[in-house]
Amino acid sequence: MSTVPHFINGERVEGEGELPVFNPATGEVVAKVPVPSPAMVSDVVEMAIEASTRWRSSTLSSRTNILFAFRHLLVEHSDELARIITREHGKTHADAKGEVARGIENVEYACGLTEHLKGGFSSQVADGVDVHSVREPVGVVAAITPFNFPIMVPLWMTANALASGNVVILKPSERDPSVSLRVAELLSEAGLPAGVFNVLHGNSATVKLLLEHPGIDAVSFVGSTPVARFIYETGTRNGKRVQALGGAKNHMVVLPDADLDIAADAAINAGYGSAGERCMAISVLVAVGGVADPLIEKITERLDRLNVGAGDDPSSDFGPVITREHRDRIIDYVATATDDDITVVRDGTGLAERPGFFVGPCLLDGVRPGTRAYDDEIFGPVLGVARVRDYAEAVGLVNSNPYGNGVAIFTRDGHAARAFSRDVHVGMIGVNVPIPVPIATYSFGGWKNSLFGHSHIYGPEGFAFYTRAKVITTRWPQPSESQIDLGFPTTR
Ligand code: NAD
């Protein structure tokens, strides 16, 4: 049984494998992950601080060259990277390639670092006085990432953090850790100096040690809401800047005028793609007025044609979920739905008899606040239908939900779509787009329990998060202009 090594200071570092990594399509353990000792965590942070003193002084052109080379290597290796993801995560190869491509976008954005790190200059703000601003790296960044996007989310953080002159310690998910090792190797091959990007495996205890270490300056976290809240509170209590993105319950509102075939296709893609294990997956379909029955009919026709199987089988539409425990948790939501007067229109839980961690598509009609299937993030191939009378009730439902990651509206009415995008308290909105993940030139972030801290991730807010501002006020007076004046300096 192989153990996935750490990648520290430019080298693979072996550890004793403690945590099992499964192939979710077979249920077999395919590797083990080490958990570092507290002394090792501390040594890695000290090494990172040392590396940071050099990397922060690297030229912008050298960083740009490395990121361009890294981008080319990611493109060249995208098939291999996708295969590693499929083996440990379970998503289909096509889906994994999509994740790699969306990760590469962030590297491409970071390649424009000379523009993103440009400061400001104001000449003659007072007589003989100029002001300019620069942005400097924060230092050492801990990047703590979830299982569901094992390359894209690390690249959300890493590309901009490195471009800004920071050193990164990535603590990837222990469920699918192998691809982060290849990312580290490709960064080295691209010319990144040793110690600037490190992969330190581990579990919640490892994360806690990073959060408490005084040498960590900033923490980027993506994962579930309870952990995001803990990371934010612990990290900020320890004096770090923290961005902590949490879970979600994303609604897709279908107005009576929508094209129901388009809406049904979108609901299938966004509700069941990647077995529903996307933070931007649609989990609640909000059927307005009379659309519920015809829409459910169109969705069930499509569901019955879906093929659930191993991610490396090209005929699979979606693969297994991440672990046996998670599969059983999803099954329990479906099994208990009728207790809440919810109708189980399609029950895919019979696939649990297969080896591996499979759940087929499930469709629940009548989910509403106060029912488990509505209130909790299930994170599986389970779509709930909520029936509402009108637009106002739909917006009320979306806004009273404690999460605010993504939301979509399906309509042919531009006026209603515009009103909706202004009315909802959600960070990312799709108009006839069910998974509105912003491109890398915008930043990604939800509201409410989907984000702790004010900073969205990647894009312009990423560069702002990974840098600190300095403002320099300059005057070159002639001796004749110098005088004693104890008044507070003004520009007047
Ligand atoms: P998770 O919260 O269980 O784990 C995320 C990371 O935190 C992992 O690296 C894990 O080792 C670590 N961790 C777990 N428990 C911890 C604890 N008690 N203390 C400290 N660290 C801990 O999340 P997951 O199951 O890997 O990922 C799925 C979740 O992530 C879902 O809730 C999903 O919505 C969310 N997610 C959100 C976004 C977003 O952008 N908002 C994106 C992807 C995933």
Side-chain angles (χ1 to χ4, degrees):
M1 178 67 52
S2 66
T3 295
V4 187
H6 306 284
F7 192 90
I8 311 291
N9 203 8
E11 288 176 0
R12 288 177 167 230
V13 175
E14 303 294 334
E16 192 190 330
E18 287 187 37
L19 310 169
V21 179
F22 295 95
N23 176 340
T26 63
E28 290 162 355
V29 177
V30 289
K32 292 217 163 173
V33 193
V35 178
S37 66
M40 180 176 178
V41 173
S42 191
D43 286 351
V44 171
V45 178
E46 295 303 329
M47 181 281 300
I49 295 168
E50 187 63 31
S52 144
T53 58
R54 294 185 297 274
W55 181 243
R56 65 183 300 120
S57 303
S58 59
T59 62
L60 300 191
S61 59
S62 69
R63 290 182 213 165
T64 306
N65 284 340
I66 291 166
L67 285 163
F68 263 104
F70 179 48
R71 185 257 175 209
H72 288 311
L73 287 168
L74 287 171
V75 171
E76 196 184 311
H77 289 267
S78 55
D79 251 317
E80 175 206 347
L81 296 165
R83 271 197 305 278
I84 298 171
I85 294 169
T86 295
R87 183 159 185 258
E88 295 180 356
H89 176 285
K91 63 176 74 175
T92 64
H93 184 71
D95 198 21
K97 290 255 320 226
E99 166 180 358
V100 175
R102 293 302 307 257
I104 289 172
E105 269 183 26
N106 293 276
V107 181
E108 288 165 352
Y109 181 72
C111 286
L113 63 95
T114 49
E115 175 68 25
H116 309 317
L117 294 174
K118 207 165 62 177
F121 190 93
S122 301
S123 176
Q124 189 71 348
V125 295
D127 199 22
V129 178
D130 303 329
V131 176
H132 74 277
S133 68
V134 293
R135 298 207 67 96
E136 294 193 350
V138 289
V140 180
V141 173
I144 302 154
T145 53
F147 80 83
N148 66 326
F149 285 108
I151 193 166
M152 182 182 78
V153 171
L155 290 176
W156 282 1
M157 303 168 180
T158 300
N160 292 347
L162 296 178
S164 318
N166 299 281
V167 163
V168 173
I169 300 175
L170 169 65
K171 205 304 279 169
S173 169
E174 59 273 44
R175 311 256 180 247
D176 43 14
S178 295
V179 75
S180 47
L181 189 74
R182 284 300 287 138
V183 167
E185 289 172 344
L186 295 179
L187 273 167
S188 282
E189 199 178 325
L192 193 74
V196 178
F197 177 76
N198 307 281
V199 178
L200 184 68
H201 295 294
N203 55 13
S204 56
T206 317
V207 172
K208 202 155 170 288
L209 289 166
L210 290 169
L211 292 175
E212 287 169 353
H213 198 295
I216 299 289
D217 301 290
V219 179
S220 289
F221 172 86
V222 174
S224 59
T225 287
V227 182
R229 184 181 278 117
F230 166 79
I231 300 277
Y232 183 72
E233 290 174 356
T234 313
T236 50
R237 198 166 52 246
N238 283 286
K240 304 170 194 323
R241 59 172 69 183
V242 181
Q243 51 179 189
L245 285 78
K249 195 80 187 179
N250 305 312
H251 297 66
M252 170 173 152
V253 175
V254 183
L255 294 188
D257 72 324
D259 179 315
L260 293 191
D261 284 303
I262 291 176
D265 286 341
I268 296 283
N269 299 341
Y272 301 97
S274 202
E277 291 177 323
R278 292 179 182 140
C279 62
M280 290 291 274
I282 292 296
S283 51
V284 184
L285 199 59
V286 184
V288 180
V291 302
D293 290 332
L295 189 56
I296 287 174
E297 196 180 319
K298 287 180 185 296
I299 288 175
T300 49
E301 278 165 17
R302 287 161 170 79
L303 281 186
D304 295 340
R305 295 199 299 267
L306 288 186
N307 187 19
V308 183
D312 58 7
D313 177 345
S315 71
S316 301
D317 291 301
F318 69 85
V321 298
I322 189 72
T323 57
R324 179 174 288 110
E325 294 71 33
H326 188 48
R327 177 198 66 189
D328 294 346
R329 194 176 151 270
I330 295 166
I331 290 173
D332 189 58
Y333 278 107
V334 179
T336 57
T338 49
D339 299 348
D340 284 327
D341 289 329
I342 291 168
T343 306
V344 180
V345 183
R346 282 293 180 278
D347 180 353
T349 59
L351 293 191
E353 285 163 17
R354 289 189 196 171
F357 314 137
F358 288 98
V359 186
C362 304
L363 184 65
L364 308 179
D365 184 11
V367 301
R368 60 205 179 278
T371 63
R372 283 180 73 222
Y374 179 83
D375 291 343
D376 296 354
E377 183 187 34
I378 300 176
F379 219 54
V382 182
L383 183 62
V385 179
R387 295 170 179 248
V388 300
R389 281 184 305 273
D390 52 24
Y391 170 84
E393 201 183 331
V395 171
L397 185 71
V398 170
N399 285 349
S400 57
N401 194 280
Y403 296 102
N405 215 36
V407 70
I409 186 163
F410 278 71
T411 180
R412 284 184 271 206
D413 179 345
H415 182 79
R418 183 174 184 275
F420 182 78
S421 58
R422 292 177 60 80
D423 290 344
V424 286
H425 305 163
V426 176
M428 293 169 284
I429 297 155
V431 175
N432 299 316
V433 173
I435 308 184
V437 176
I439 58 165
T441 37
Y442 294 81
S443 299
F444 178 111
W447 286 15
K448 303 191 275 186
N449 284 353
S450 296
L451 175 76
F452 298 87
H454 74 276
S455 173
H456 288 201
I457 206 159
Y458 71 71
E461 293 202 24
F463 270 92
F465 182 76
Y466 295 123
T467 53
R468 275 189 290 218
K470 257 187 191 166
V471 182
I472 299 116
T473 303
T474 306
R475 182 170 176 241
W476 298 98
Q478 298 299 315
S480 62
E481 294 167 332
S482 189
Q483 59 179 345
I484 299 286
D485 178 355
L486 275 64
F488 191 66
T490 71
T491 54
R492 311 222 174 263

